[in-house]
Amino acid sequence: NHPVVQVETCDMKPAIRKLYDEFAQRGIIELEQGFLEAANAGVNAIRCRQIMGHPDTFGLAKPDELTGKDEHMMIHVDNHVETGERLVIFAALIPEQERIYRLLLKKGLKVALINGTISGPERQRIDKDFREGRYQFIVGSAATMGVGFNWPFLNMVLFASLDYGDDSFTQAYKRAIRSKREKALLVIVLSYRDSIDQKIFEAVERKAKDYNTIDETKPEIFLKAEKEVKKNGKLSMG
């Protein structure tokens, strides 16, 4: 039940790219509401992820303005609207999840949000409505949706961004492969060119390799911009 995983490389909007590069290099940028700065490398990494994931929070984009990743995501969303198939969209940051949820809601789509801000009973209600077709889309976090749900009817899942854990990534897409499938699950991972996304991918690959050394049943993960290859129980993503 290995999925077919494809990394789609996206370009930031020019204005966001300019400020992102400046912040990544200097650790400080001037915004309309003041300065955004990072005291150390860890904070810099968090801020870079925030600039990419929810630029509207910093006044770098309008709330309903599509980012580079959004444009890729919406192609898949529109395809699912046409086919009627259901889709789960994962994102790493809560404001990012909420922004994607609002974008789909504004399109008039039947969409729900599941993350740490949603209560257990409400998650169960959303899960039931999703399985029974009352929702076509769910947006949320891999950490929250990576356990307790069984969605074998999905043909594709989409990651707008990843966190640093390989386990949350694999557990998330496994919601759709809890039982034997007739065809492989397609996993789309969006990546900004020349960004911290590549560092996150490297961290995920490294942790997966360490786990594979201890337990060979856990596949290695390769997030590379190349054709997907599967052999010797290894997962190559491109």
Side-chain angles (χ1 to χ4, degrees):
N1 274 351
H2 288 308
V4 175
V5 188
Q6 297 178 356
V7 174
E8 291 187 3
T9 301
C10 312
D11 290 308
M12 295 183 204
K13 297 294 185 177
I16 296 176
R17 166 55 73 185
K18 180 177 182 295
L19 289 172
Y20 176 90
D21 287 346
E22 182 181 349
F23 187 83
Q25 294 169 10
R26 299 178 55 221
I28 184 170
I29 53 174
E30 184 176 3
L31 306 174
E32 288 186 6
Q33 63 268 43
F35 286 91
L36 180 68
E37 57 185 320
N40 54 56
V43 176
N44 186 289
I46 292 170
R47 294 290 185 236
C48 285
R49 295 173 70 197
Q50 292 172 333
I51 290 171
M52 294 191 308
H54 47 98
D56 53 305
T57 300
F58 306 103
L60 302 178
K62 296 178 181 178
D64 58 351
E65 183 179 349
L66 297 185
T67 66
K69 284 188 178 181
D70 291 338
E71 291 177 350
H72 279 249
M73 177 187 71
M74 286 303 182
I75 291 173
H76 296 292
V77 167
D78 289 341
N79 286 340
H80 279 73
V81 170
E82 289 185 11
T83 64
E85 293 183 1
R86 284 161 285 184
L87 175 66
V88 173
I89 299 172
F90 297 97
L93 307 175
I94 288 178
E96 180 184 15
Q97 298 153 17
E98 293 174 341
R99 191 183 60 79
I100 293 171
Y101 167 70
R102 291 193 302 269
L103 287 175
L104 270 57
L105 202 61
K106 187 172 181 180
K107 285 175 66 73
L109 303 178
K110 296 177 181 178
V111 57
L113 175 70
I114 295 181
N115 59 23
T117 71
I118 306 300
S119 70
E122 180 66 3
R123 295 177 199 175
Q124 296 306 312
R125 182 197 66 78
I126 292 170
D127 171 47
K128 184 174 185 293
D129 285 348
F130 186 52
R131 285 186 284 107
E132 295 177 358
R134 286 184 286 277
Y135 288 119
Q136 187 179 5
F137 301 92
I138 292 184
V139 179
S141 68
T144 306
M145 296 196 292
V147 293
F149 300 110
N150 186 21
W151 299 323
F153 49 82
L154 295 173
N155 289 318
M156 184 184 117
V157 297
L158 185 146
F159 288 82
S161 59
L162 301 183
D163 59 32
Y164 286 92
D166 68 294
D167 199 47
S168 63
F169 172 66
T170 55
Q171 287 299 318
Y173 71 64
K174 282 181 179 178
R175 297 310 96 206
I177 53 175
R178 302 305 293 173
S179 57
K180 189 173 182 180
R181 296 179 57 89
E182 293 184 1
K183 65 178 183 178
L185 175 72
L186 176 60
V187 179
I188 299 293
V189 182
L190 303 183
S191 171
Y192 274 132
R193 193 186 314 275
D194 300 325
S195 74
I196 198 170
D197 279 340
Q198 285 77 56
K199 292 183 179 180
I200 294 172
F201 291 177
E202 289 172 3
V204 170
E205 290 175 343
R206 185 171 60 252
K207 292 176 183 178
K209 183 177 181 180
D210 290 342
Y211 280 123
N212 178 263
T213 302
I214 300 169
D215 182 356
E216 292 185 354
T217 65
K218 291 183 176 292
E220 289 188 55
I221 296 172
F222 302 95
L223 289 153
K224 304 293 184 186
E226 58 189 14
K227 190 174 180 180
E228 185 268 349
V229 178
K230 295 197 298 274
K231 55 184 177 181
N232 299 327
K234 297 182 178 181
L235 214 63
S236 179
M237 307 179 186

